[in-house]
C-alpha cells in the first residue's frame, strides 16, 4: 500500500505538469498563428515560411516549381485548421489528465477502490472516443487541404499523370481502447463493491 501511495503521488505530479504543458503548447500554437496572420494582413508580400514548394510523400520528396508553392493565405488557412483541431484535442487531453489525477487522488490516500474510480475510468473511455474521432477527422481534413492547397490536380493536365487519389485509411483502434476502458471500469466497480462488503464484514 505504501508503494502504491508513493507511485500514485509521483504520477499525480507528472500529470499535473502534463496538464500545464498542454495549455502552454496550445497557447504558443495560437499565438504563433495569430502573429503570422497579422503579419500577412499588414504586409501580404511578407514571407511567413520557407519550403512551401516541397511535398513529402513517404520516403520521396518532390520539389515543385516556385509558382506552385503555397500562398500565404493557403498556409494560414491550413494553420488555422490545425489550430481548430488542436483546440478540441487539447481540451480533451487536458480533461483526461484531470480524470487521471482524480483516479490517483484516493490511491494517494490509500483507497485504491474508491467509489468514483470506475466512473472516472468510464469518462476517460468516452474521451478516447472523442479523440479518435478528432484524429480521423483531422487526417481527412489534412489530406483534403493538401490536395487543394498544392493544386495537385493540375499535374493531371500535363498528361503525364492520369489521376491523383488520396488513400485515406479510417483508424478504428480507438474503439478497442474505449471498450477496454469500459471493461476496466466495470472491474473497478466490482472491486469497490467487494471492498465495501469486506469493510462491512469487518
Amino acid at each position: 500500500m505504501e508503494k502504491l501511495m508513493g507511485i500514485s503521488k509521483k504520477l499525480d505530479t507528472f500529470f499535473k505538469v502534463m496538464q500545464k504543458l498542454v495549455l502552454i503548447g496550445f497557447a504558443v500554437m495560437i499565438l504563433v498563428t495569430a502573429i503570422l496572420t497579422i503579419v500577412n494582413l499588414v504586409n501580404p508580400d511578407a514571407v511567413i515560411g520557407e519550403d512551401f514548394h516541397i511535398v513529402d510523400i513517404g520516403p520521396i520528396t518532390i520539389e515543385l516549381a516556385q509558382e506552385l508553392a503555397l500562398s500565404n493565405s493557403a498556409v494560414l488557412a491550413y494553420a488555422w485548421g490545425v489550430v481548430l483541431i488542436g483546440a478540441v484535442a487539447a481540451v480533451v487531453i487536458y480533461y483526461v489528465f484531470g480524470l487521471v489525477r482524480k483516479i490517483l487522488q484516493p490511491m494517494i490516500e490509500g483507497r485504491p477502490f474508491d467509489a468514483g474510480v470506475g466512473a472516472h475510468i468510464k469518462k476517460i473511455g468516452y474521451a478516447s472516443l472523442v479523440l479518435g474521432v478528432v484524429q480521423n477527422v483531422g487526417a481527412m481534413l489534412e489530406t483534403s487541404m493538401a490536395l487543394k492547397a498544392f493544386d495537385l490536380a493540375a499535374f493531371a493536365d500535363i498528361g503525364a499523370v492520369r489521376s491523383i487519389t488520396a488513400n485515406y485509411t479510417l483508424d478504428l483502434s480507438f474503439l478497442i481502447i474505449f471498450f477496454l476502458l469500459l471493461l476496466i471500469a466495470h472491474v473497478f466497480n466490482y472491486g469497490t463493491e467487494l471492498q465495501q462488503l469486506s469493510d462491512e464484514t469487518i
Side-chain angles (χ1 to χ4, degrees):
M1 183 60 69
E2 289 181 0
K3 288 182 179 179
L4 175 65
M5 293 167 66
I7 293 173
S8 298
K9 190 171 183 179
K10 291 176 182 177
L11 285 173
D12 180 66
T13 302
F14 170 76
F15 283 107
K16 184 178 181 180
V17 172
M18 291 301 293
Q19 279 185 305
K20 292 180 179 179
L21 288 178
V22 167
L23 290 178
I24 293 171
F26 180 62
V28 169
M29 184 169 61
I30 289 182
L31 183 62
V32 170
T33 308
I35 290 173
L36 291 177
T37 302
I38 293 170
V39 168
N40 184 60
L41 290 173
V42 173
N43 183 11
D45 296 325
V47 178
I48 62 172
E50 298 178 353
D51 299 332
F52 290 136
H53 62 294
I54 295 176
V55 183
D56 289 320
I57 305 175
I60 299 172
T61 298
I62 299 175
E63 185 172 349
L64 305 175
Q66 285 292 339
E67 57 268 20
L68 294 176
L70 290 179
S71 63
N72 285 353
S73 58
V75 172
L76 291 171
Y78 179 80
W80 281 112
V82 171
V83 168
L84 180 62
I85 295 169
V88 178
V91 169
V92 176
I93 291 172
Y94 185 89
Y95 175 68
V96 168
F97 287 162
L99 289 173
V100 171
R101 293 187 63 202
K102 288 181 179 179
I103 292 172
L104 291 171
Q105 195 55 47
M107 295 184 183
I108 293 173
E109 299 169 0
R111 297 179 289 109
F113 289 104
D114 186 77
V117 172
H120 294 320
I121 294 175
K122 189 179 291 186
K123 289 178 183 177
I124 292 176
Y126 284 107
S128 71
L129 277 181
V130 176
L131 278 177
V133 171
V134 169
Q135 179 185 0
N136 281 280
V137 170
M140 285 189 288
L141 286 176
E142 181 181 8
T143 303
S144 176
M145 291 179 73
L147 285 172
K148 291 179 181 178
F150 283 106
D151 194 18
L152 297 180
F155 288 109
D157 298 335
I158 300 174
V161 179
R162 293 184 61 184
S163 66
I164 297 174
T165 305
N167 299 315
Y168 173 75
T169 303
L170 185 66
D171 183 8
L172 297 176
S173 59
F174 66 94
L175 291 176
I176 298 174
I177 297 173
F178 169 68
F179 287 114
L180 282 175
L181 287 170
L182 285 188
L183 178 62
I184 294 172
H186 287 302
V187 170
F188 260 91
N189 286 334
Y190 182 64
T192 300
E193 291 178 6
L194 291 179
Q195 184 67 54
Q196 289 175 347
L197 290 173
S198 175
D199 293 341
E200 290 172 2
T201 303
I202 294 174

